[in-house]
Amino acid sequence: MPNQLDRTTMNVVCLAGGVGGAKLADGLARLVPPQNLTIIVNTGDDFQHLGLTICPDLDTVMYALGDVANVETGWGRAGESWHTIAEVGRLGGPDWFHLGDLDLATHLTRTHLLQEGQTLTAVTRHLCRHFHIQPDVLPMSDQPTPTLIETDGRILPFQTWFVQERWQPPVHKIHLPTDARATPQVAARLEKADLVIIAPSNPFVSIDPILNVYPIRPMLEDLPRAVVAVSPIIGGQAVKGPAAKMMQEMGMDVSSAAVAAYYGDLLDGFVYDAQDDGLLAQGDLALLCVDTLMHTSADRVRLAQDVLNFALEIS
Ligand code: FO1
């Protein structure tokens, strides 16, 4: 219902994966009361490595909200050391996935708690508590939901393609599980959501894996309130990562307009960068053109504030 929402009471859900998602989630966490904010995170990048369960996007969000993130890499911990993974390499083990010593503590604890029988949702809550994070950070699913990348004659696990092969093999197809189910916690938060924000994450390998988890997409389609996405493409380039390269390989235009078209009817509003001013034609979709780059903590808060104001306007 228009004009009944306000930013101190509305329930905000943010769909996030990767660095762009973590930055916007952090901005939102500085504005929205914690009981009203939920971050639903892509777990399609998760994998088993060196006997450990690694959940890169959950950790990127958790480290950003916990104020312990490495701002140079965008992933992993600030003030990290690398003794263990260097020794793994010296011993002839796999060292292509750079696990820092502090970061390893997260993976060890997560793996231990999962092996004790806890769900990924419960383990994530446990870890967040120890990083003093108040909003709910929820994995999209408690089941393994691996994203696979089909390239020239091979189907690769996501991290093999992304990290080991530096996302260079061309993407022909992205394989997402057909049986992924959302957790009851995710479904409950979406049920109560007044606003869903799709973060400026990679639409194909961060957001699609979340939308693919049943019943997240139909719940968003039925939501009486606004669904707003922020473009990860600025001036024909991805802020970080392979989104632009993937769009080219899929025969898409590399532009924020193409991102808006890709999300299609799911969206009520779309936020894109001032550098692309004039590139989107006003139609049914409400548009907001602002500075979307998030270099500093203040930038994260400013963009989060802009998105919240915009959502209130169009709700
Ligand atoms: N990304 C890299 O490009 N190289 C790495 O060695 C690497 C290690 C790593 C360790 C822990 C972690 O949580 C994330 C890590 N990432 C690394 C990032 C991550 O694999 C990707 O950015 C995401 O999966 C894409 O969103």
Side-chain angles (χ1 to χ4, degrees):
M1 256 174 285
N3 304 326
Q4 287 201 340
L5 290 176
D6 85 66
R7 83 179 54 87
T8 56
T9 54
M10 66 178 171
N11 290 312
V12 178
V13 171
C14 177
L15 310 187
V19 180
K23 286 181 174 178
L24 185 61
D26 182 43
L28 289 167
R30 292 167 196 268
L31 292 171
V32 179
Q35 69 276 12
N36 297 121
L37 177 62
T38 305
I39 325 289
I40 298 177
V41 182
N42 170 40
T43 53
D45 299 10
D46 297 7
F47 72 133
Q48 299 292 317
H49 188 61
L50 289 163
L52 302 171
T53 300
I54 318 271
C55 304
D57 284 359
L58 276 173
D59 291 345
T60 301
V61 168
M62 193 168 69
Y63 294 160
L65 267 62
D67 216 7
V68 295
N70 181 333
V71 288
E72 269 102 57
T73 53
W75 49 265
R77 299 273 308 256
E80 188 58 280
S81 59
W82 305 94
H83 300 292
T84 310
I85 199 70
E87 189 65 0
V88 168
R90 198 187 69 77
L91 294 172
D95 61 354
W96 56 269
F97 197 77
H98 299 117
L99 294 168
D101 298 325
L102 291 172
D103 189 33
L104 270 166
T106 299
H107 312 309
L108 285 165
T109 306
R110 173 188 294 120
T111 305
H112 166 73
L113 295 174
L114 287 171
Q115 284 175 355
E116 278 195 337
Q118 294 196 37
T119 62
L120 185 58
T121 299
V123 172
T124 304
R125 175 163 299 174
H126 170 104
L127 291 170
C128 282
R129 197 168 61 244
H130 288 269
F131 283 107
H132 312 291
I133 295 167
Q134 288 184 306
D136 261 343
V137 177
L138 298 177
M140 63 192 196
S141 179
D142 278 334
Q143 307 161 249
T145 52
T147 297
L148 300 174
I149 304 292
E150 185 171 334
T151 180
D152 300 326
R154 295 181 297 162
I155 295 181
L156 302 177
F158 181 80
Q159 296 298 343
T160 305
W161 174 75
F162 190 95
V163 174
Q164 196 170 16
E165 305 211 7
R166 298 165 197 265
W167 41 273
Q168 290 314 298
V171 178
H172 298 317
K173 193 170 176 209
I174 298 159
H175 295 260
L176 301 175
T178 52
D179 57 351
R181 291 285 177 278
T183 62
Q185 292 86 345
V186 162
R189 288 312 176 102
L190 283 175
E191 191 75 55
K192 282 200 319 185
D194 296 308
L195 161 65
V196 176
I197 299 170
I198 300 180
S201 306
N202 186 310
F204 318 106
V205 292
S206 292
I207 301 300
D208 273 355
I210 302 178
L211 298 176
N212 174 61
V213 175
Y214 186 81
I216 296 182
R217 183 184 282 275
M219 285 190 83
L220 295 199
E221 284 165 351
D222 290 349
L223 208 66
R225 306 290 193 194
V227 179
V228 171
V230 182
S231 177
I233 298 290
I234 301 181
Q237 294 184 330
V239 178
K240 195 173 180 356
K245 178 174 175 283
M246 295 174 82
M247 290 174 90
Q248 258 165 1
E249 288 165 359
M250 291 188 282
M252 293 170 74
D253 203 23
V254 184
S255 66
S256 43
V259 174
Y262 183 75
Y263 285 130
D265 287 347
L266 196 63
L267 301 185
D268 302 294
F270 187 68
V271 181
Y272 67 109
D273 193 81
Q275 280 185 44
D276 294 336
D277 197 7
L279 287 190
L280 272 95
Q282 193 81 50
D284 285 347
L285 184 63
L287 297 174
L288 176 71
C289 182
V290 288
D291 184 2
T292 60
L293 274 173
M294 292 179 280
H295 293 304
T296 65
S297 183
D299 292 338
R300 299 176 186 189
V301 176
R302 180 187 33 74
L303 180 59
Q305 186 72 77
D306 286 343
V307 174
L308 291 170
N309 289 344
F310 174 57
L312 279 170
E313 251 171 54
I314 67 172
S315 289

